[in-house]
Amino acid sequence: MSEASPSLGPLVCVVGARPNYMKMAPLLRAFASRGGLPKTMLIHTGQHYDLAMNERLFTDLQLPPPDLNLEVGSGTHAVQTAEVMRRFEPVVDDVKPACVIVVGDVNSTLACSLVASKKRISIVHVEAGLRSFDREMPEEINRLLTDQLADILYTTERDASVNLAREGIDASRVRFVGNVMIDSLLAHKARAVPVATTVARAGFDPAVVEGAAGFGVVTLHRPSNVDDPASFGEAVAVLVDVAQRIPLVWPVHPRARSNIDRFGLAATLRDAAITLLEPQGYLEMLGLMATARVVMTDSGGIQEETTALAVPCLTMRENTERPITVVQGTNTLVGRNRKRVRDCIDDIVRTGGKRGRVPELWDGKTAERIAIDLERWVAARTSAPERRVA
Ligand code: UD1
């Protein structure tokens, strides 16, 4: 745990899966620098556990090791969520948190929020109010429910407040503070690993990324793209098309990796100019994205990171919970539509593609704003302990 302070219990900070780590790292640093905040306690649910999906990211992001790992591992959504809840409840009983701080939209985010809410412990949700309006996405359910339960909701873009107001969430609970993910990006950009190094370390010839056409980066892991053989086949066909013009590098998520093998897609990929890598560390991913001509993804965070890096992003989904990246940033929704992708690649080859601008308050100082705001909240609570809400 970090350095101590007032009489309240700790700020219990929860991470579970890869996209949580880059959001929590700047928050922990900012909390540690504010004397008016209670100590922090970092809890890892263990949703992600592989070295490549987990420890490497902790090291890259200079995250302290968790104070506690609940080691829930994989399972169906119900099993995973229930297991996090079962293991998190006694921790809450034991440490009596001042509040529980959750980030993003993974199963661990919702599970810990449910436990805290039943215990009447205040919940702080960082990255609140994003909506894809697509309930096929497990993350959309996690977002909707976590926001209903949260007492303080920190948002990354102004439209998020509109979504929350529509769902009956009082504006007094919502604060527009910017994007903590971009805090991490700006803090670590200078340490990004050069792409040739990443490719060579994986045993490939760096020439694959050093040709005149440059290179593109792929990440795919959404169930809607990789869990169904026909959909994954379509996605791969799109990538093969693109690779004829721009060679691609693809760090493959475990979910996609096992389905490439199961659906017999390995040979098609091998024959195309598509280099498959293991999941990469944060600094390797930054290096890949920052120097790519195009990034093709279904990740939420990467839509934001490419916007901040001014690199064109083709999102292989029909919707996004991050519309600001389309309206202001470099993102274009292309789904698995070959014609749409071809048009975008034409534009990228001809003009460099969409450049966009960096959205308001994506300035590297979001965690600091959150820490200052929480310090005020703690001060108000210490003087009026019976009041629970913001
Ligand atoms: C989870 C999040 C998703 C996030 C993604 C980033 C939910 C609902 N989904 O999806 O929002 O974008 O993380 O990676 O919370 N596996 C491993 N090693 C690990 C972790 C998982 O091999 O360290 C395997 C599991 O066995 C499983 C698959 O990867 O088969 C999926 O893992 P899971 O945690 O269920 O969801 P993700 O698809 O990673």
Side-chain angles (χ1 to χ4, degrees), residues 17-19 47-51 53-54 73-75 77 80 105-108 138-139 142 221-223 253-255 258 299-300:
R18 187 169 63 174
Q47 180 175 340
H48 280 176
Y49 44 84
D50 277 2
L51 191 69
M53 301 289 285
N54 189 36
S74 300
H77 285 264
Q80 195 171 58
D105 55 16
V106 303
N107 286 341
S108 303
E139 292 82 2
N142 294 342
H221 72 283
R222 296 264 162 234
H253 183 283
R255 178 189 281 281
S258 67
S299 151

Side-chain angles (χ1 to χ4, degrees), residues 63 79 325:
L63 262 167
V79 166
T325 61

Side-chain angles (χ1 to χ4, degrees), residues 19-210:
N20 295 157
Y21 311 148
M22 38 296 240
K23 296 169 193 167
M24 195 55 83
L27 288 171
L28 289 178
R29 271 195 291 278
F31 295 161
S33 73
R34 310 289 317 176
L37 285 175
K39 64 196 171 190
T40 55
M41 178 179 185
L42 179 61
I43 299 194
H44 195 320
T45 65
Q47 180 175 340
H48 280 176
Y49 44 84
D50 277 2
L51 191 69
M53 301 289 285
N54 189 36
E55 277 136 82
R56 237 173 111 181
L57 282 282
F58 264 69
T59 309
D60 290 349
L61 291 157
Q62 297 161 326
L63 262 167
D67 294 296
L68 190 66
N69 192 322
L70 304 178
E71 296 179 355
V72 297
S74 300
T76 64
H77 285 264
V79 166
Q80 195 171 58
T81 307
E83 205 51 42
V84 173
M85 290 180 72
R86 208 174 62 77
R87 297 183 190 201
F88 187 57
E89 183 175 46
V91 179
V92 168
D93 286 341
D94 186 35
V95 306
K96 301 188 176 41
C99 64
V100 170
I101 301 176
V102 294
V103 295
D105 55 16
V106 303
N107 286 341
S108 303
T109 307
L110 174 61
C112 293
S113 300
L114 276 168
V115 171
S117 106
K118 299 282 177 92
K119 301 269 171 195
R120 312 305 296 141
I121 306 282
S122 298
I123 299 160
V124 176
H125 186 204
V126 176
E127 197 189 91
L130 298 180
R131 296 292 180 269
S132 64
F133 305 101
D134 174 5
R135 294 201 184 189
E136 295 295 316
M137 286 181 79
E139 292 82 2
E140 183 74 353
I141 310 293
N142 294 342
R143 292 181 201 117
L144 280 159
L145 297 178
T146 301
D147 285 341
Q148 281 298 323
L149 301 174
D151 299 285
I152 304 179
L153 299 93
Y154 291 118
T155 62
T156 55
E157 53 179 278
R158 289 191 187 275
D159 280 354
S161 319
V162 180
N163 295 335
L164 294 169
R166 196 185 307 111
E167 292 161 18
I169 291 167
D170 197 275
S172 64
R173 286 155 61 194
V174 181
R175 287 106 155 112
F176 169 52
V177 287
N179 195 329
V180 279
M181 188 125 187
I182 306 306
D183 288 13
S184 273
L185 182 138
L186 296 176
H188 295 288
K189 204 173 139 191
R191 296 168 56 225
V193 176
V195 60
T197 309
T198 301
V199 168
R201 270 190 205 145
F204 295 98
D205 183 349
V208 297
V209 290
E210 288 173 342

